[in-house]
Amino acid sequence: MSYNAFELSGKIAIVTGCNTGLGQGMAMALASAGCHVAGVNRSAADATRERIEALGGRFIDIQADLSSTAPIADIVAQTLEAFGRIDILVNNAGIIRREDALEFSEEDWDAVIDTNLKTTFFLAQAVARQFIAQGDGGKIVNIASLLSFQGGIRVPSYTASKSGVMGLTKLLANEWAKHGINVNAIAPGYMETNNTEALRNDPQRSAEILGRIPAGRWGAPEDLAGPVVFLASSASDYINGHTLAVDGGWLAR
Ligand code: NAP
């Protein structure tokens, strides 16, 4: 029996924050399934380009700072100029700032909320308008966090932003399902990337975290490959507004 609902041949995906970490893993997974990718980062994404081209995909490198909404129209325009359409958006770019809530600055609040929540919404809005103009739906995958479900500690703007991403995912799914647009999210667990370097370098926090993960290991970018291809493909056509935890069982404890 053949089952090709995960096939993404020729689909066009915008992936933000794909020069490293989870975004790079997801961009490569989508390319492995057949996508061409428009990558959006502040810095060049040469390694991602090389890996995607080695898989036979095309990659355009859009350099933009997602801490403001200013580049959004240009990101959509550059993608359309290169590929003519958009099928998938992975809203992955994100930052974290750590400080006690009593000391937390307004600058650290605004920086995280602007990148993780405000730009995520307005990029989804711009891409959804394009999906509706194209007339045949689309897929949006937002990157949430365990801190969409839990409070965390010393990361107030991050928790607020990722809780917001999960709520927004449900709202957008409700409004856009009628256009054939699926909006869902992935909540990665504790993954080995730059984002968690400070935690992994703290022996006490690192041991506490590892001891609580039923799978007994930190996650890797490759762990998001199956989930992102699933949520970007027709295999998930009747899934709307869901946040899928990919956490080695953390939330099951
Ligand atoms: P990472 O290794 O720090 O990578 C972050 C990515 O976001 C980079 O590609 C970075 O590109 C991009 N980015 C950040 N600010 C940007 C800006 N202003 N404009 C454009 N691009 C920007 O982080 P990661 O761990 O892969 O995280 C990816 C996503 O997963 C984030 O949303 C994060 O919150 C989420 N997440 C991570 C974990 C984890 O354990 N690692 C867990 C849950 C959720 P530049 O280098 O060009 O800035």
Side-chain angles (χ1 to χ4, degrees):
M1 185 183 110
S2 84
Y3 185 69
N4 63 1
F6 299 93
E7 172 66 46
L8 294 174
S9 279
K11 299 280 187 190
I12 308 304
I14 297 177
V15 183
T16 67
C18 68
N19 63 358
T20 182
L22 304 184
Q24 185 179 60
M26 290 189 284
M28 286 167 50
L30 292 171
S32 298
C35 286
H36 304 300
V37 176
V40 186
N41 303 274
R42 281 176 293 203
S43 40
D46 295 336
T48 306
R49 170 196 294 285
E50 278 166 29
R51 291 179 197 185
I52 287 179
E53 289 178 352
L55 291 166
R58 288 175 61 203
F59 180 81
I60 63 162
D61 195 348
I62 302 175
Q63 278 175 254
D65 183 350
L66 297 172
S67 64
S68 92
T69 56
I72 287 175
D74 190 52
I75 291 165
V76 171
Q78 283 197 53
T79 307
L80 293 176
E81 191 184 331
F83 297 120
R85 59 177 288 118
I86 307 169
D87 300 292
I88 297 155
L89 167 66
V90 181
N91 250 324
N92 167 74
I95 58 170
I96 193 164
R97 300 277 170 91
R98 298 177 195 278
E99 180 55 274
D100 294 344
L102 284 174
E103 308 301 329
F104 209 79
S105 70
E106 190 171 346
E107 194 265 325
D108 283 344
W109 178 270
D110 287 344
V112 173
I113 296 289
D114 284 350
T115 301
N116 294 12
L117 186 57
K118 184 175 178 182
T119 296
T120 290
F121 169 67
F122 283 102
L123 185 55
Q125 180 194 63
V127 170
R129 287 174 176 164
Q130 176 61 27
F131 287 162
I132 291 166
Q134 291 170 184
D136 54 358
K139 301 278 182 179
I140 297 177
V141 183
N142 295 322
I143 302 306
S145 166
L146 296 179
L147 300 189
S148 304
F149 300 92
Q150 302 179 307
I153 187 164
R154 301 188 75 246
V155 286
S157 57
Y158 187 81
T159 300
S161 73
K162 294 299 186 178
S163 298
V165 165
M166 184 162 81
L168 189 59
T169 297
K170 292 187 249 191
L171 175 136
L172 298 179
N174 293 338
E175 291 201 21
W176 297 344
K178 63 176 178 284
H179 299 292
I181 300 171
N182 297 86
V183 187
N184 291 293
I186 292 172
Y190 285 90
M191 317 295 280
E192 276 190 51
T193 68
N194 300 334
N195 176 294
T196 53
E197 196 176 356
L199 282 182
R200 285 179 289 112
N201 288 341
D202 177 335
Q204 193 190 338
R205 287 285 287 132
S206 176
E208 284 168 5
I209 288 166
L210 199 54
R212 194 191 181 285
I213 301 174
R217 64 172 177 86
W218 288 68
E222 301 76 52
D223 289 311
L224 300 189
V228 76
V229 169
F230 169 55
L231 292 177
S233 71
S234 64
S236 60
D237 278 351
Y238 201 57
I239 298 181
N240 301 79
H242 186 68
T243 295
L244 175 62
V246 182
D247 65 352
W250 176 278
L251 288 177
R253 288 288 287 265

